[in-house]
Amino acid sequence: MQCIYVCAKLTKNVLGDEMGLGIFDLTKCSDLGYKDRIDIYKETGVGELSLYIDNDYMQEGEDYNLIIAYARDNGLKINQVHIDYKQSNLICDETTDSFFEYISKKAHECMMLNIPYMVLHPSKGENPPEISQKQLDKLKMVVSKFPNVMFCFENVRSIKNLKKILALDVNNIKACYDLGHAHAYYDEFELFDELKNKIICITITEKMNTAP
């Protein structure tokens, strides 16, 4: 039996002081089917599950909607999900709205699935393009349409766009602190201190991996 990649997700309930510790279901890192994986999570006492809500990240034949339904039927909470990061730099592209259309679609799914935290990346790569005020304004407009969804932007290799995004005065733009990414590229303690007022969820991986 192949080991399941461990990625813990720590989420603070912004409506109170509740803190939930869960596991990230990285489906392609295991040969097990989703029902077997979730049964193992439950047996080991995991109370929350996080996953990508994009079938490009699923094993062949799996669907994230089925995983969510099975997990909830078995008593696991799902309060946080991750969306595709590969197109993150399109947030800076003023010639297309494809990034905003994608995050709108995924935020709507979160709303319909009653999932309050959506994790996304503000950029990709070591030297990404810099987000303009025009694109920041577009982001604010999109986010304002989904007041019950927290848009949790994760620290990655470059944080120049993250800082601009988190500086927006928008209640549902928050930070997801990835300890692995922080350790790989920054002083993790200094970065945590810099972002702490915006952080509402944390990723802790078994490997201090490099960031996209």
Side-chain angles (χ1 to χ4, degrees):
M1 182 181 294
Q2 182 176 339
C3 291
I4 295 173
Y5 182 82
V6 176
C7 181
K9 289 285 184 176
L10 189 65
T11 303
K12 182 177 182 181
N13 185 339
V14 294
L15 301 179
D17 296 326
E18 178 184 353
M19 191 75 78
L21 179 62
I23 191 166
F24 199 116
D25 184 42
L26 291 167
T27 70
K28 289 187 176 180
C29 294
S30 173
D31 291 333
L32 299 174
Y34 73 89
K35 291 184 178 180
D36 289 331
R37 296 194 308 270
I38 290 170
D39 290 345
I40 290 173
Y41 302 152
K42 186 177 180 182
E43 288 173 10
T44 55
V46 171
E48 293 200 18
L49 184 71
S50 183
L51 72 162
Y52 279 97
I53 53 166
D54 192 306
N55 282 330
D56 286 346
Y57 293 84
M58 301 291 109
Q59 290 184 22
E60 185 176 354
E62 290 192 348
D63 182 284
Y64 60 85
N65 287 291
L66 296 177
I67 297 174
I68 291 171
Y70 186 78
R72 284 177 164 168
D73 286 346
N74 283 272
L76 273 67
K77 297 179 181 178
I78 298 181
N79 290 319
Q80 179 195 151
V81 291
H82 205 305
I83 64 174
D84 179 32
Y85 64 84
K86 295 187 293 294
Q87 57 181 305
S88 300
N89 286 343
L90 288 175
I91 193 174
C92 302
D93 190 343
E94 296 184 3
T95 67
T96 177
D97 287 330
S98 61
F99 176 83
F100 300 106
E101 291 167 357
Y102 175 72
I103 67 170
S104 294
K105 175 184 175 183
K106 292 302 175 181
H108 180 74
E109 287 185 46
C110 286
M111 185 178 66
M112 299 304 294
L113 291 167
N114 195 28
I115 297 172
Y117 305 92
M118 185 177 80
V119 178
L120 62 167
H121 287 193
S123 61
K124 183 177 183 293
E126 186 174 355
N127 189 29
E130 191 166 347
I131 191 168
S132 66
Q133 186 59 50
K134 178 179 179 181
Q135 298 301 93
L136 289 169
D137 290 341
K138 285 183 183 178
L139 178 62
K140 287 175 65 175
M141 183 174 65
V142 169
V143 170
S144 69
K145 296 177 181 178
F146 304 96
N148 295 323
V149 176
M150 294 293 165
F151 289 70
C152 306
F153 285 87
E154 190 170 286
N155 57 290
V156 288
R157 189 183 300 243
S158 169
I159 60 170
K160 62 183 181 182
N161 287 339
L162 176 66
K163 288 182 176 181
K164 285 189 171 186
I165 291 168
L166 294 181
L168 296 172
D169 186 20
V170 181
N171 289 335
N172 56 327
I173 289 181
K174 301 293 183 182
C176 174
Y177 181 73
D178 188 302
L179 180 59
H181 296 173
H183 181 81
Y185 297 108
Y186 299 93
D187 181 308
E188 56 264 47
F189 300 104
E190 289 183 7
L191 185 61
F192 182 86
D193 193 58
E194 183 177 352
L195 302 179
K196 64 184 180 183
N197 291 332
K198 290 286 188 174
I199 294 171
I200 59 171
C201 51
I202 297 173
T203 301
I204 308 168
T205 61
E206 65 175 348
K207 297 177 181 178
M208 293 301 185
N209 58 330
T210 55

